[in-house]
Amino acid sequence: MGARLGRPTRASLPPMPAAALTIALYGFDDPAAACARLRVFEPVRALTPAVRLLMGVVPSGPGHTVATDVLAAADLVLIQRFFPGPRTAPILEAIFASGKPVVYDTDDDFTAVPAGHPFFPRMAALVPHIRDTAGRATLVTVSTPGLAAVFRPLAARVRVVPNCLPEALWQPVAPPQRPVAAIGFAATPSHAPDLACLEPALSRLAQTAGFSGRFVFYGCPPAPGTFPGATILPFAPDYAAYAAKLPRLGLAIGLAPLADTPFDRAKSAIKWLEYTASGAAGIYADLPPYQDVVEDGQTGLLVGPQPQAWAEAVARLVADAPLRRRLAGKAREALDRSHWLATGASAFGDAWRSAAQGDTP
């Protein structure tokens, strides 16, 4: 751990550099994982050389090495997601004592993690520190309006910086032309409860005489025996590997169910972005993450919580290839207009530079 730094006065802080904005990053997410790639590393790559990243946390065996010596060269400190906690409290004090502007960034509402989620056992200890960090930060950046509503009572400044797909990772493909429609559910294992609600209805549909679809589960398997003959692929923690694999699966239809909880309502529509880049027509939970981007019947289908409604939507798309292609095509047009990182990276840069310069909202 580096030495604790004193607090410089505002007048003694170095001026903003004419070229690169230097950011010290503190986060425990694997640099190869989706959140780190989408919220930090790919935006920085897109903004290079205008932005330079210094690592305050480095993976070391099963744990991490955390240092404060990078603070001296930083114009801005970026704290990510669940870095704040009891073990990092001394590091956080050193960060705030440095006098450097601080951005806290998250794309999950850790204050509302449901009891069945893998994160839940850790959250009771972390949430007070997350709240404190958000309250002391110069700026809080979040991925959705729902998350902004969560953090506005806690933070002086909150800015929505949406997730975008990095062109460096995603190679979009056209909708598949295969006679048997592949229906995909691509998700982390934490989404098992979302799938479990739909399994009985979708399993019955899959085993109906004359049904011409086939199911593909990528990352989150169904209960054993519920989908005979389905393709089941393991979770890919490396987001670049996931982004390379998903478009190659030939999905005609993508499924994105969500439970109606405060935690899920604050999520982003990343599955709409990913399914669209993969050429699939998507069926999405009729909840804020997807209501904000999906035009029902045009760029996807929005479906309520009833499992039978999901089975009917799947059956409809399986039987109607022209409708699938139209939905996928309209979604791709919307993706290309405003959801690639080449367009969205400037929002990250603007937020970081605004915080570094101490601009008011």
Side-chain angles (χ1 to χ4, degrees):
M1 184 183 299
R4 184 184 177 100
L5 303 180
R7 179 194 293 272
T9 64
R10 174 62 59 183
S12 67
L13 289 176
M16 284 293 297
L21 173 70
T22 301
I23 299 175
L25 172 64
Y26 288 85
F28 286 140
D29 280 295
D30 184 336
C35 292
R37 295 297 288 264
L38 292 172
R39 301 295 299 172
V40 181
F41 292 101
E42 294 304 322
V44 167
R45 183 206 298 261
L47 293 167
T48 300
V51 174
R52 182 169 71 106
L53 199 63
L54 303 177
M55 301 301 294
V57 178
V58 179
S60 177
H64 299 83
T65 298
V66 184
T68 57
D69 52 4
V70 299
L71 293 173
D75 305 303
L76 178 72
V77 181
L78 177 59
I79 298 172
Q80 261 229 309
R81 288 168 44 87
F82 47 81
F83 179 82
R87 292 186 302 125
T88 59
I91 301 294
L92 291 166
E93 289 305 316
I95 289 171
F96 285 110
S98 75
K100 299 297 177 77
V102 173
V103 171
Y104 174 68
D105 176 77
T106 185
D107 64 349
D108 275 312
D109 179 6
F110 293 121
T111 70
V113 176
H117 195 280
F119 287 161
F120 181 77
R122 305 162 56 190
M123 286 301 111
L126 299 188
V127 164
H129 296 270
I130 290 172
R131 289 177 177 271
D132 180 69
T133 298
R136 299 169 73 183
T138 309
L139 174 68
V140 172
T141 54
V142 295
S143 55
T144 69
L147 267 179
V150 170
F151 280 93
R152 282 198 180 100
L154 306 176
R157 296 177 58 202
V158 180
R159 181 179 290 197
V160 176
V161 184
N163 288 330
C164 295
L165 284 191
E167 294 86 345
L169 302 184
W170 288 89
Q171 299 297 320
V173 298
Q177 302 294 324
R178 300 170 184 175
V180 176
I183 306 127
F185 179 71
T188 63
S190 66
H191 284 274
D194 299 326
L195 175 60
C197 294
L198 304 183
E199 277 183 6
L202 294 181
S203 179
R204 287 192 299 271
L205 175 65
Q207 299 176 62
T208 300
F211 180 71
S212 60
R214 64 178 182 89
F215 282 85
V216 178
F217 298 92
Y218 185 14
C220 186
T226 51
F227 293 88
T231 300
I232 300 177
L233 303 168
F235 174 62
D238 185 311
Y239 189 65
Y242 170 84
K245 180 81 170 179
L246 188 65
R248 297 202 303 264
L249 296 181
L251 301 183
I253 300 165
L255 305 180
L258 278 178
D260 190 357
T261 66
F263 180 74
D264 283 345
R265 282 177 166 262
K267 283 183 170 292
S268 74
I270 189 65
K271 282 289 166 274
W272 177 78
L273 303 180
E274 294 171 351
Y275 284 145
T276 297
S278 301
I283 304 174
Y284 304 96
D286 192 5
L287 291 172
Y290 298 112
Q291 291 168 349
D292 291 344
V293 297
V294 177
E295 185 179 355
D296 187 31
Q298 296 296 316
T299 60
L301 299 181
L302 295 174
V303 178
Q306 301 82 7
Q308 187 56 35
W310 282 79
E312 291 170 1
V314 170
R316 177 188 176 194
L317 290 187
V318 166
D320 194 339
L323 174 59
R324 293 199 308 267
R325 288 192 288 271
R326 180 171 64 81
L327 292 175
K330 291 285 187 182
R332 176 63 188 280
E333 291 174 6
L335 174 69
D336 288 346
R337 277 196 301 271
S338 55
H339 297 284
W340 288 107
L341 190 58
T343 301
S346 62
F348 287 91
D350 290 346
W352 294 336
R353 193 163 291 278
S354 171
Q357 293 173 336
D359 293 344
T360 57

